[in-house]
Amino acid sequence: MRLIRTSTLRKCGVVAASTALAVTGLLTGAGTAAAGPAGATNIRGVDPGDTDLMIERLCSQETSLTGVYGALNVDTGEFKTRDEYLRDVIGLWAPAGPWELFRGWCGYAEASTWSIKGDTVRTSRWIGNKGSADDKETFVSSYSTKTFAKKSVGGSISLSLAKSIFSGTVGGSAGYEWGWEKESKFETRSEKTVPPCRQVAVTWTPYQRVVRVNPVFYVEDYQWNKGDGDRTVHSWRDRGYQTIYSHGYYIDGISDKLLPSGQPDGREDKIEEKLDPKSCTD
């Protein structure tokens, strides 16, 4: 598994400094739990509350020079950003009662990749034959590759975040097939038979690659106060692991595959529809 890094501070919690991430040891993980993408530990079903949404909201914040901040109520599972905590709980960034505070960095770790068939689209106009014998027609078919991304929770993913995650060499395990932001078009001409009282068109079914990433959070500081003073540790809830993720929160990048020639990979088909017999020659 590879950690996807970004080179500049961006909105939506994208980690900036590659050196900071390198020092954190995101590729090793810690603790006794099984390591996930980038060595991170899955907290889904372990910690209270909706951890998928917690990681999504935590990492969707603007990243400051000191990272992103969050607060977790370990009794109820409620999560608050730093601004929400200062507004709703106490006007001081300090743990209080069941509220535990944390600071760190977010990154994006490739979890898996696989191939799919995209939606079939019509790439030519319909050409009809109202005669009583087969007809030969030249069909002009055109297509342009598609690229998009989607999240499993939260709102839609911003274009800037999607580009920072999936462009460049990301998806390298997919090799030449990965066509993220590598727009390719084609236009073909082919002669096809149009049967009597039928209309014919050409369709294209793209072959696509999906690259799934899990947002991960690296813990710099974790704090609580059980009534005997503030305590600060440097792993998630003092369990010994520094990098966490929630298995149900992921981001998928989907792009048409490209052949070694740079042309889109897929399948062309001819489709037919009956015409109204009343409009055709007997």
Side-chain angles (χ1 to χ4, degrees), residues 214-249:
N214 284 117
V216 298
F217 177 69
Y218 172 80
V219 182
E220 288 281 3
D221 303 306
Y222 193 100
Q223 297 178 293
W224 68 85
N225 188 330
K226 302 303 181 183
D228 53 356
D230 292 356
R231 184 180 176 191
T232 301
V233 294
H234 303 286
S235 65
W236 181 255
R237 304 195 68 187
D238 202 24
R239 293 177 186 158
Y241 41 84
Q242 294 179 308
T243 313
I244 62 169
Y245 78 110
S246 187
H247 182 70
Y249 175 40

PDB file of all heavy atoms in Angstrom, residues 214-249:
ATOM      1  N   ASN A 214      -8.089   5.581   1.282  1.00  0.00           N
ATOM      2  CA  ASN A 214      -8.657   5.835   2.609  1.00  0.00           C
ATOM      3  C   ASN A 214      -7.977   7.051   3.211  1.00  0.00           C
ATOM      4  O   ASN A 214      -6.747   7.055   3.353  1.00  0.00           O
ATOM      5  CB  ASN A 214      -8.457   4.650   3.549  1.00  0.00           C
ATOM      6  CG  ASN A 214      -9.399   3.504   3.280  1.00  0.00           C
ATOM      7  OD1 ASN A 214      -8.977   2.411   2.930  1.00  0.00           O
ATOM      8  ND2 ASN A 214     -10.688   3.747   3.440  1.00  0.00           N
ATOM      9  N   PRO A 215      -8.722   8.104   3.563  1.00  0.00           N
ATOM     10  CA  PRO A 215      -8.115   9.191   4.321  1.00  0.00           C
ATOM     11  C   PRO A 215      -7.608   8.663   5.657  1.00  0.00           C
ATOM     12  O   PRO A 215      -8.284   7.890   6.337  1.00  0.00           O
ATOM     13  CB  PRO A 215      -9.269  10.174   4.514  1.00  0.00           C
ATOM     14  CG  PRO A 215     -10.172   9.911   3.348  1.00  0.00           C
ATOM     15  CD  PRO A 215     -10.104   8.419   3.167  1.00  0.00           C
ATOM     16  N   VAL A 216      -6.392   9.041   6.033  1.00  0.00           N
ATOM     17  CA  VAL A 216      -5.792   8.601   7.289  1.00  0.00           C
ATOM     18  C   VAL A 216      -5.403   9.829   8.104  1.00  0.00           C
ATOM     19  O   VAL A 216      -5.150  10.900   7.564  1.00  0.00           O
ATOM     20  CB  VAL A 216      -4.552   7.708   7.045  1.00  0.00           C
ATOM     21  CG1 VAL A 216      -4.945   6.440   6.295  1.00  0.00           C
ATOM     22  CG2 VAL A 216      -3.475   8.468   6.266  1.00  0.00           C
ATOM     23  N   PHE A 217      -5.376   9.644   9.417  1.00  0.00           N
ATOM     24  CA  PHE A 217      -5.040  10.745  10.329  1.00  0.00           C
ATOM     25  C   PHE A 217      -3.869  10.322  11.190  1.00  0.00           C
ATOM     26  O   PHE A 217      -3.904   9.277  11.856  1.00  0.00           O
ATOM     27  CB  PHE A 217      -6.243  11.086  11.211  1.00  0.00           C
ATOM     28  CG  PHE A 217      -5.966  12.156  12.238  1.00  0.00           C
ATOM     29  CD1 PHE A 217      -5.752  13.471  11.867  1.00  0.00           C
ATOM     30  CD2 PHE A 217      -5.919  11.842  13.594  1.00  0.00           C
ATOM     31  CE1 PHE A 217      -5.492  14.456  12.820  1.00  0.00           C
ATOM     32  CE2 PHE A 217      -5.665  12.809  14.549  1.00  0.00           C
ATOM     33  CZ  PHE A 217      -5.447  14.119  14.162  1.00  0.00           C
ATOM     34  N   TYR A 218      -2.804  11.143  11.163  1.00  0.00           N
ATOM     35  CA  TYR A 218      -1.635  10.915  11.995  1.00  0.00           C
ATOM     36  C   TYR A 218      -1.726  11.782  13.238  1.00  0.00           C
ATOM     37  O   TYR A 218      -1.906  13.000  13.158  1.00  0.00           O
ATOM     38  CB  TYR A 218      -0.339  11.234  11.232  1.00  0.00           C
ATOM     39  CG  TYR A 218       0.869  11.193  12.145  1.00  0.00           C
ATOM     40  CD1 TYR A 218       1.449   9.981  12.494  1.00  0.00           C
ATOM     41  CD2 TYR A 218       1.390  12.364  12.688  1.00  0.00           C
ATOM     42  CE1 TYR A 218       2.534   9.935  13.352  1.00  0.00           C
ATOM     43  CE2 TYR A 218       2.478  12.332  13.547  1.00  0.00           C
ATOM     44  CZ  TYR A 218       3.045  11.119  13.879  1.00  0.00           C
ATOM     45  OH  TYR A 218       4.116  11.075  14.739  1.00  0.00           O
ATOM     46  N   VAL A 219      -1.602  11.151  14.402  1.00  0.00           N
ATOM     47  CA  VAL A 219      -1.766  11.845  15.677  1.00  0.00           C
ATOM     48  C   VAL A 219      -0.457  12.486  16.111  1.00  0.00           C
ATOM     49  O   VAL A 219       0.557  11.802  16.291  1.00  0.00           O
ATOM     50  CB  VAL A 219      -2.238  10.860  16.774  1.00  0.00           C
ATOM     51  CG1 VAL A 219      -2.450  11.601  18.099  1.00  0.00           C
ATOM     52  CG2 VAL A 219      -3.505  10.137  16.351  1.00  0.00           C
ATOM     53  N   GLU A 220      -0.482  13.804  16.293  1.00  0.00           N
ATOM     54  CA  GLU A 220       0.638  14.507  16.915  1.00  0.00           C
ATOM     55  C   GLU A 220       0.451  14.542  18.432  1.00  0.00           C
ATOM     56  O   GLU A 220       1.359  14.169  19.179  1.00  0.00           O
ATOM     57  CB  GLU A 220       0.738  15.935  16.367  1.00  0.00           C
ATOM     58  CG  GLU A 220       1.241  16.036  14.938  1.00  0.00           C
ATOM     59  CD  GLU A 220       2.750  15.904  14.830  1.00  0.00           C
ATOM     60  OE1 GLU A 220       3.420  15.672  15.855  1.00  0.00           O
ATOM     61  OE2 GLU A 220       3.258  16.015  13.694  1.00  0.00           O
ATOM     62  N   ASP A 221      -0.726  15.006  18.860  1.00  0.00           N
ATOM     63  CA  ASP A 221      -1.025  15.118  20.297  1.00  0.00           C
ATOM     64  C   ASP A 221      -2.440  14.618  20.565  1.00  0.00           C
ATOM     65  O   ASP A 221      -3.351  14.854  19.761  1.00  0.00           O
ATOM     66  CB  ASP A 221      -0.934  16.576  20.778  1.00  0.00           C
ATOM     67  CG  ASP A 221       0.418  17.196  20.503  1.00  0.00           C
ATOM     68  OD1 ASP A 221       1.423  16.606  20.921  1.00  0.00           O
ATOM     69  OD2 ASP A 221       0.452  18.265  19.853  1.00  0.00           O
ATOM     70  N   TYR A 222      -2.604  13.946  21.691  1.00  0.00           N
ATOM     71  CA  TYR A 222      -3.925  13.506  22.135  1.00  0.00           C
ATOM     72  C   TYR A 222      -4.023  13.817  23.629  1.00  0.00           C
ATOM     73  O   TYR A 222      -3.146  13.437  24.407  1.00  0.00           O
ATOM     74  CB  TYR A 222      -4.104  12.001  21.881  1.00  0.00           C
ATOM     75  CG  TYR A 222      -5.542  11.547  22.034  1.00  0.00           C
ATOM     76  CD1 TYR A 222      -6.351  11.362  20.924  1.00  0.00           C
ATOM     77  CD2 TYR A 222      -6.094  11.326  23.289  1.00  0.00           C
ATOM     78  CE1 TYR A 222      -7.670  10.969  21.048  1.00  0.00           C
ATOM     79  CE2 TYR A 222      -7.409  10.939  23.433  1.00  0.00           C
ATOM     80  CZ  TYR A 222      -8.199  10.763  22.308  1.00  0.00           C
ATOM     81  OH  TYR A 222      -9.512  10.388  22.440  1.00  0.00           O
ATOM     82  N   GLN A 223      -5.110  14.514  24.024  1.00  0.00           N
ATOM     83  CA  GLN A 223      -5.217  15.000  25.400  1.00  0.00           C
ATOM     84  C   GLN A 223      -6.547  14.597  26.044  1.00  0.00           C
ATOM     85  O   GLN A 223      -7.571  14.496  25.377  1.00  0.00           O
ATOM     86  CB  GLN A 223      -5.138  16.536  25.424  1.00  0.00           C
ATOM     87  CG  GLN A 223      -3.846  17.125  24.935  1.00  0.00           C
ATOM     88  CD  GLN A 223      -3.919  18.644  24.962  1.00  0.00           C
ATOM     89  OE1 GLN A 223      -4.674  19.264  24.221  1.00  0.00           O
ATOM     90  NE2 GLN A 223      -3.136  19.260  25.831  1.00  0.00           N
ATOM     91  N   TRP A 224      -6.504  14.408  27.369  1.00  0.00           N
ATOM     92  CA  TRP A 224      -7.726  14.236  28.160  1.00  0.00           C
ATOM     93  C   TRP A 224      -7.455  14.716  29.580  1.00  0.00           C
ATOM     94  O   TRP A 224      -6.320  14.935  29.994  1.00  0.00           O
ATOM     95  CB  TRP A 224      -8.191  12.782  28.141  1.00  0.00           C
ATOM     96  CG  TRP A 224      -7.287  11.829  28.860  1.00  0.00           C
ATOM     97  CD1 TRP A 224      -7.276  11.539  30.193  1.00  0.00           C
ATOM     98  CD2 TRP A 224      -6.250  11.025  28.283  1.00  0.00           C
ATOM     99  NE1 TRP A 224      -6.304  10.618  30.490  1.00  0.00           N
ATOM    100  CE2 TRP A 224      -5.664  10.284  29.330  1.00  0.00           C
ATOM    101  CE3 TRP A 224      -5.771  10.861  26.987  1.00  0.00           C
ATOM    102  CZ2 TRP A 224      -4.617   9.399  29.119  1.00  0.00           C
ATOM    103  CZ3 TRP A 224      -4.734   9.975  26.775  1.00  0.00           C
ATOM    104  CH2 TRP A 224      -4.166   9.260  27.827  1.00  0.00           C
ATOM    105  N   ASN A 225      -8.549  14.850  30.316  1.00  0.00           N
ATOM    106  CA  ASN A 225      -8.471  15.246  31.732  1.00  0.00           C
ATOM    107  C   ASN A 225      -9.583  14.528  32.474  1.00  0.00           C
ATOM    108  O   ASN A 225     -10.763  14.795  32.272  1.00  0.00           O
ATOM    109  CB  ASN A 225      -8.620  16.762  31.875  1.00  0.00           C
ATOM    110  CG  ASN A 225      -8.359  17.239  33.299  1.00  0.00           C
ATOM    111  OD1 ASN A 225      -8.595  16.510  34.274  1.00  0.00           O
ATOM    112  ND2 ASN A 225      -7.876  18.470  33.433  1.00  0.00           N
ATOM    113  N   LYS A 226      -9.204  13.581  33.319  1.00  0.00           N
ATOM    114  CA  LYS A 226     -10.173  12.803  34.096  1.00  0.00           C
ATOM    115  C   LYS A 226     -10.368  13.378  35.496  1.00  0.00           C
ATOM    116  O   LYS A 226     -10.838  12.691  36.406  1.00  0.00           O
ATOM    117  CB  LYS A 226      -9.716  11.348  34.191  1.00  0.00           C
ATOM    118  CG  LYS A 226      -9.518  10.658  32.858  1.00  0.00           C
ATOM    119  CD  LYS A 226     -10.786  10.681  32.004  1.00  0.00           C
ATOM    120  CE  LYS A 226     -10.569   9.962  30.684  1.00  0.00           C
ATOM    121  NZ  LYS A 226     -11.777  10.046  29.811  1.00  0.00           N
ATOM    122  N   GLY A 227     -10.011  14.649  35.680  1.00  0.00           N
ATOM    123  CA  GLY A 227     -10.164  15.300  36.975  1.00  0.00           C
ATOM    124  C   GLY A 227      -8.875  15.405  37.753  1.00  0.00           C
ATOM    125  O   GLY A 227      -8.843  16.001  38.833  1.00  0.00           O
ATOM    126  N   ASP A 228      -7.803  14.859  37.185  1.00  0.00           N
ATOM    127  CA  ASP A 228      -6.512  14.911  37.882  1.00  0.00           C
ATOM    128  C   ASP A 228      -5.467  15.646  37.048  1.00  0.00           C
ATOM    129  O   ASP A 228      -4.270  15.383  37.141  1.00  0.00           O
ATOM    130  CB  ASP A 228      -6.027  13.498  38.202  1.00  0.00           C
ATOM    131  CG  ASP A 228      -5.992  12.593  36.991  1.00  0.00           C
ATOM    132  OD1 ASP A 228      -6.428  13.051  35.898  1.00  0.00           O
ATOM    133  OD2 ASP A 228      -5.525  11.452  37.101  1.00  0.00           O
ATOM    134  N   GLY A 229      -5.955  16.571  36.205  1.00  0.00           N
ATOM    135  CA  GLY A 229      -5.048  17.368  35.392  1.00  0.00           C
ATOM    136  C   GLY A 229      -4.972  16.872  33.959  1.00  0.00           C
ATOM    137  O   GLY A 229      -5.322  15.722  33.655  1.00  0.00           O
ATOM    138  N   ASP A 230      -4.518  17.760  33.079  1.00  0.00           N
ATOM    139  CA  ASP A 230      -4.402  17.410  31.658  1.00  0.00           C
ATOM    140  C   ASP A 230      -3.294  16.386  31.452  1.00  0.00           C
ATOM    141  O   ASP A 230      -2.227  16.461  32.083  1.00  0.00           O
ATOM    142  CB  ASP A 230      -4.083  18.649  30.826  1.00  0.00           C
ATOM    143  CG  ASP A 230      -5.238  19.641  30.800  1.00  0.00           C
ATOM    144  OD1 ASP A 230      -6.300  19.324  31.359  1.00  0.00           O
ATOM    145  OD2 ASP A 230      -5.061  20.725  30.212  1.00  0.00           O
ATOM    146  N   ARG A 231      -3.565  15.453  30.556  1.00  0.00           N
ATOM    147  CA  ARG A 231      -2.538  14.496  30.171  1.00  0.00           C
ATOM    148  C   ARG A 231      -2.434  14.494  28.652  1.00  0.00           C
ATOM    149  O   ARG A 231      -3.456  14.452  27.957  1.00  0.00           O
ATOM    150  CB  ARG A 231      -2.856  13.094  30.669  1.00  0.00           C
ATOM    151  CG  ARG A 231      -1.719  12.120  30.329  1.00  0.00           C
ATOM    152  CD  ARG A 231      -1.979  10.718  30.795  1.00  0.00           C
ATOM    153  NE  ARG A 231      -0.902   9.832  30.353  1.00  0.00           N
ATOM    154  CZ  ARG A 231      -0.950   8.514  30.423  1.00  0.00           C
ATOM    155  NH1 ARG A 231      -2.023   7.917  30.934  1.00  0.00           N
ATOM    156  NH2 ARG A 231       0.064   7.778  30.014  1.00  0.00           N
ATOM    157  N   THR A 232      -1.214  14.538  28.139  1.00  0.00           N
ATOM    158  CA  THR A 232      -0.977  14.553  26.699  1.00  0.00           C
ATOM    159  C   THR A 232      -0.127  13.355  26.310  1.00  0.00           C
ATOM    160  O   THR A 232       0.910  13.088  26.920  1.00  0.00           O
ATOM    161  CB  THR A 232      -0.253  15.844  26.270  1.00  0.00           C
ATOM    162  OG1 THR A 232      -1.053  16.984  26.633  1.00  0.00           O
ATOM    163  CG2 THR A 232      -0.029  15.858  24.766  1.00  0.00           C
ATOM    164  N   VAL A 233      -0.612  12.630  25.289  1.00  0.00           N
ATOM    165  CA  VAL A 233       0.141  11.494  24.747  1.00  0.00           C
ATOM    166  C   VAL A 233       0.284  11.724  23.241  1.00  0.00           C
ATOM    167  O   VAL A 233      -0.214  12.707  22.700  1.00  0.00           O
ATOM    168  CB  VAL A 233      -0.570  10.154  25.033  1.00  0.00           C
ATOM    169  CG1 VAL A 233      -0.597   9.881  26.534  1.00  0.00           C
ATOM    170  CG2 VAL A 233      -1.982  10.148  24.453  1.00  0.00           C
ATOM    171  N   HIS A 234       0.952  10.801  22.572  1.00  0.00           N
ATOM    172  CA  HIS A 234       1.222  10.996  21.150  1.00  0.00           C
ATOM    173  C   HIS A 234       0.799   9.791  20.322  1.00  0.00           C
ATOM    174  O   HIS A 234       1.415   9.479  19.289  1.00  0.00           O
ATOM    175  CB  HIS A 234       2.700  11.323  20.951  1.00  0.00           C
ATOM    176  CG  HIS A 234       3.137  12.520  21.736  1.00  0.00           C
ATOM    177  ND1 HIS A 234       2.792  13.807  21.385  1.00  0.00           N
ATOM    178  CD2 HIS A 234       3.854  12.613  22.892  1.00  0.00           C
ATOM    179  CE1 HIS A 234       3.287  14.656  22.270  1.00  0.00           C
ATOM    180  NE2 HIS A 234       3.936  13.956  23.186  1.00  0.00           N
ATOM    181  N   SER A 235      -0.263   9.132  20.761  1.00  0.00           N
ATOM    182  CA  SER A 235      -0.885   8.068  19.982  1.00  0.00           C
ATOM    183  C   SER A 235      -2.387   8.140  20.232  1.00  0.00           C
ATOM    184  O   SER A 235      -2.841   8.768  21.193  1.00  0.00           O
ATOM    185  CB  SER A 235      -0.329   6.687  20.374  1.00  0.00           C
ATOM    186  OG  SER A 235      -0.671   6.374  21.715  1.00  0.00           O
ATOM    187  N   TRP A 236      -3.161   7.497  19.351  1.00  0.00           N
ATOM    188  CA  TRP A 236      -4.611   7.593  19.439  1.00  0.00           C
ATOM    189  C   TRP A 236      -5.133   6.945  20.727  1.00  0.00           C
ATOM    190  O   TRP A 236      -4.956   5.756  20.936  1.00  0.00           O
ATOM    191  CB  TRP A 236      -5.278   6.938  18.220  1.00  0.00           C
ATOM    192  CG  TRP A 236      -6.777   7.035  18.244  1.00  0.00           C
ATOM    193  CD1 TRP A 236      -7.654   6.038  18.534  1.00  0.00           C
ATOM    194  CD2 TRP A 236      -7.568   8.209  17.982  1.00  0.00           C
ATOM    195  NE1 TRP A 236      -8.942   6.498  18.463  1.00  0.00           N
ATOM    196  CE2 TRP A 236      -8.914   7.834  18.128  1.00  0.00           C
ATOM    197  CE3 TRP A 236      -7.252   9.526  17.645  1.00  0.00           C
ATOM    198  CZ2 TRP A 236      -9.959   8.737  17.941  1.00  0.00           C
ATOM    199  CZ3 TRP A 236      -8.291  10.426  17.462  1.00  0.00           C
ATOM    200  CH2 TRP A 236      -9.624  10.028  17.607  1.00  0.00           C
ATOM    201  N   ARG A 237      -5.702   7.787  21.614  1.00  0.00           N
ATOM    202  CA  ARG A 237      -6.271   7.365  22.887  1.00  0.00           C
ATOM    203  C   ARG A 237      -5.283   6.547  23.712  1.00  0.00           C
ATOM    204  O   ARG A 237      -5.652   5.661  24.478  1.00  0.00           O
ATOM    205  CB  ARG A 237      -7.591   6.602  22.662  1.00  0.00           C
ATOM    206  CG  ARG A 237      -8.626   7.400  21.853  1.00  0.00           C
ATOM    207  CD  ARG A 237      -9.998   6.822  21.954  1.00  0.00           C
ATOM    208  NE  ARG A 237     -10.539   6.988  23.312  1.00  0.00           N
ATOM    209  CZ  ARG A 237     -11.674   6.450  23.734  1.00  0.00           C
ATOM    210  NH1 ARG A 237     -12.381   5.677  22.899  1.00  0.00           N
ATOM    211  NH2 ARG A 237     -12.097   6.647  24.962  1.00  0.00           N
ATOM    212  N   ASP A 238      -4.001   6.827  23.502  1.00  0.00           N
ATOM    213  CA  ASP A 238      -2.913   6.193  24.238  1.00  0.00           C
ATOM    214  C   ASP A 238      -2.861   4.683  24.014  1.00  0.00           C
ATOM    215  O   ASP A 238      -2.466   3.918  24.895  1.00  0.00           O
ATOM    216  CB  ASP A 238      -3.030   6.488  25.748  1.00  0.00           C
ATOM    217  CG  ASP A 238      -1.689   6.318  26.476  1.00  0.00           C
ATOM    218  OD1 ASP A 238      -0.643   6.434  25.811  1.00  0.00           O
ATOM    219  OD2 ASP A 238      -1.705   6.063  27.701  1.00  0.00           O
ATOM    220  N   ARG A 239      -3.204   4.250  22.823  1.00  0.00           N
ATOM    221  CA  ARG A 239      -3.218   2.819  22.518  1.00  0.00           C
ATOM    222  C   ARG A 239      -1.961   2.366  21.790  1.00  0.00           C
ATOM    223  O   ARG A 239      -1.839   1.192  21.448  1.00  0.00           O
ATOM    224  CB  ARG A 239      -4.443   2.483  21.664  1.00  0.00           C
ATOM    225  CG  ARG A 239      -5.766   2.656  22.406  1.00  0.00           C
ATOM    226  CD  ARG A 239      -6.924   2.390  21.477  1.00  0.00           C
ATOM    227  NE  ARG A 239      -8.196   2.675  22.111  1.00  0.00           N
ATOM    228  CZ  ARG A 239      -9.308   2.941  21.439  1.00  0.00           C
ATOM    229  NH1 ARG A 239      -9.283   2.954  20.120  1.00  0.00           N
ATOM    230  NH2 ARG A 239     -10.431   3.190  22.081  1.00  0.00           N
ATOM    231  N   GLY A 240      -1.066   3.309  21.506  1.00  0.00           N
ATOM    232  CA  GLY A 240       0.200   2.925  20.900  1.00  0.00           C
ATOM    233  C   GLY A 240       0.257   3.043  19.401  1.00  0.00           C
ATOM    234  O   GLY A 240       1.315   2.844  18.816  1.00  0.00           O
ATOM    235  N   TYR A 241      -0.864   3.333  18.743  1.00  0.00           N
ATOM    236  CA  TYR A 241      -0.786   3.520  17.285  1.00  0.00           C
ATOM    237  C   TYR A 241      -1.024   4.983  16.938  1.00  0.00           C
ATOM    238  O   TYR A 241      -1.883   5.648  17.492  1.00  0.00           O
ATOM    239  CB  TYR A 241      -1.740   2.600  16.519  1.00  0.00           C
ATOM    240  CG  TYR A 241      -3.122   2.403  17.094  1.00  0.00           C
ATOM    241  CD1 TYR A 241      -4.140   3.322  16.837  1.00  0.00           C
ATOM    242  CD2 TYR A 241      -3.428   1.295  17.885  1.00  0.00           C
ATOM    243  CE1 TYR A 241      -5.418   3.137  17.344  1.00  0.00           C
ATOM    244  CE2 TYR A 241      -4.703   1.113  18.398  1.00  0.00           C
ATOM    245  CZ  TYR A 241      -5.697   2.038  18.130  1.00  0.00           C
ATOM    246  OH  TYR A 241      -6.959   1.848  18.638  1.00  0.00           O
ATOM    247  N   GLN A 242      -0.238   5.449  15.998  1.00  0.00           N
ATOM    248  CA  GLN A 242      -0.218   6.868  15.673  1.00  0.00           C
ATOM    249  C   GLN A 242      -1.049   7.234  14.457  1.00  0.00           C
ATOM    250  O   GLN A 242      -1.396   8.397  14.272  1.00  0.00           O
ATOM    251  CB  GLN A 242       1.227   7.328  15.446  1.00  0.00           C
ATOM    252  CG  GLN A 242       2.089   7.280  16.693  1.00  0.00           C
ATOM    253  CD  GLN A 242       3.504   7.734  16.393  1.00  0.00           C
ATOM    254  OE1 GLN A 242       4.140   7.245  15.475  1.00  0.00           O
ATOM    255  NE2 GLN A 242       3.988   8.690  17.157  1.00  0.00           N
ATOM    256  N   THR A 243      -1.372   6.276  13.620  1.00  0.00           N
ATOM    257  CA  THR A 243      -2.117   6.561  12.395  1.00  0.00           C
ATOM    258  C   THR A 243      -3.416   5.782  12.389  1.00  0.00           C
ATOM    259  O   THR A 243      -3.412   4.567  12.574  1.00  0.00           O
ATOM    260  CB  THR A 243      -1.289   6.178  11.156  1.00  0.00           C
ATOM    261  OG1 THR A 243       0.032   6.680  11.299  1.00  0.00           O
ATOM    262  CG2 THR A 243      -1.917   6.757   9.902  1.00  0.00           C
ATOM    263  N   ILE A 244      -4.539   6.493  12.183  1.00  0.00           N
ATOM    264  CA  ILE A 244      -5.849   5.841  12.210  1.00  0.00           C
ATOM    265  C   ILE A 244      -6.601   6.125  10.914  1.00  0.00           C
ATOM    266  O   ILE A 244      -6.305   7.072  10.187  1.00  0.00           O
ATOM    267  CB  ILE A 244      -6.695   6.321  13.409  1.00  0.00           C
ATOM    268  CG1 ILE A 244      -6.973   7.837  13.303  1.00  0.00           C
ATOM    269  CG2 ILE A 244      -6.018   5.970  14.730  1.00  0.00           C
ATOM    270  CD1 ILE A 244      -8.013   8.353  14.283  1.00  0.00           C
ATOM    271  N   TYR A 245      -7.582   5.273  10.638  1.00  0.00           N
ATOM    272  CA  TYR A 245      -8.535   5.518   9.564  1.00  0.00           C
ATOM    273  C   TYR A 245      -9.833   4.829   9.941  1.00  0.00           C
ATOM    274  O   TYR A 245      -9.883   4.044  10.911  1.00  0.00           O
ATOM    275  CB  TYR A 245      -8.005   5.015   8.221  1.00  0.00           C
ATOM    276  CG  TYR A 245      -8.111   3.517   8.001  1.00  0.00           C
ATOM    277  CD1 TYR A 245      -9.012   2.986   7.083  1.00  0.00           C
ATOM    278  CD2 TYR A 245      -7.299   2.616   8.694  1.00  0.00           C
ATOM    279  CE1 TYR A 245      -9.106   1.617   6.867  1.00  0.00           C
ATOM    280  CE2 TYR A 245      -7.374   1.251   8.487  1.00  0.00           C
ATOM    281  CZ  TYR A 245      -8.278   0.757   7.571  1.00  0.00           C
ATOM    282  OH  TYR A 245      -8.373  -0.589   7.358  1.00  0.00           O
ATOM    283  N   SER A 246     -10.904   5.128   9.219  1.00  0.00           N
ATOM    284  CA  SER A 246     -12.192   4.473   9.439  1.00  0.00           C
ATOM    285  C   SER A 246     -12.577   3.789   8.137  1.00  0.00           C
ATOM    286  O   SER A 246     -12.753   4.452   7.104  1.00  0.00           O
ATOM    287  CB  SER A 246     -13.260   5.490   9.862  1.00  0.00           C
ATOM    288  OG  SER A 246     -14.460   4.842  10.237  1.00  0.00           O
ATOM    289  N   HIS A 247     -12.690   2.473   8.180  1.00  0.00           N
ATOM    290  CA  HIS A 247     -12.782   1.654   6.978  1.00  0.00           C
ATOM    291  C   HIS A 247     -13.909   2.079   6.030  1.00  0.00           C
ATOM    292  O   HIS A 247     -13.789   1.939   4.815  1.00  0.00           O
ATOM    293  CB  HIS A 247     -12.972   0.188   7.370  1.00  0.00           C
ATOM    294  CG  HIS A 247     -13.025  -0.750   6.209  1.00  0.00           C
ATOM    295  ND1 HIS A 247     -11.926  -1.047   5.439  1.00  0.00           N
ATOM    296  CD2 HIS A 247     -14.074  -1.441   5.654  1.00  0.00           C
ATOM    297  CE1 HIS A 247     -12.278  -1.890   4.482  1.00  0.00           C
ATOM    298  NE2 HIS A 247     -13.564  -2.134   4.578  1.00  0.00           N
ATOM    299  N   GLY A 248     -15.004   2.607   6.593  1.00  0.00           N
ATOM    300  CA  GLY A 248     -16.152   2.953   5.754  1.00  0.00           C
ATOM    301  C   GLY A 248     -16.040   4.288   5.051  1.00  0.00           C
ATOM    302  O   GLY A 248     -16.917   4.639   4.251  1.00  0.00           O
ATOM    303  N   TYR A 249     -14.979   5.044   5.314  1.00  0.00           N
ATOM    304  CA  TYR A 249     -14.797   6.322   4.635  1.00  0.00           C
ATOM    305  C   TYR A 249     -13.666   6.188   3.622  1.00  0.00           C
ATOM    306  O   TYR A 249     -12.513   5.971   3.987  1.00  0.00           O
ATOM    307  CB  TYR A 249     -14.481   7.438   5.631  1.00  0.00           C
ATOM    308  CG  TYR A 249     -14.153   8.762   4.984  1.00  0.00           C
ATOM    309  CD1 TYR A 249     -14.867   9.217   3.872  1.00  0.00           C
ATOM    310  CD2 TYR A 249     -13.118   9.560   5.451  1.00  0.00           C
ATOM    311  CE1 TYR A 249     -14.564  10.424   3.265  1.00  0.00           C
ATOM    312  CE2 TYR A 249     -12.808  10.784   4.859  1.00  0.00           C
ATOM    313  CZ  TYR A 249     -13.534  11.203   3.761  1.00  0.00           C
ATOM    314  OH  TYR A 249     -13.238  12.400   3.153  1.00  0.00           O
TER     315      TYR A 249
END
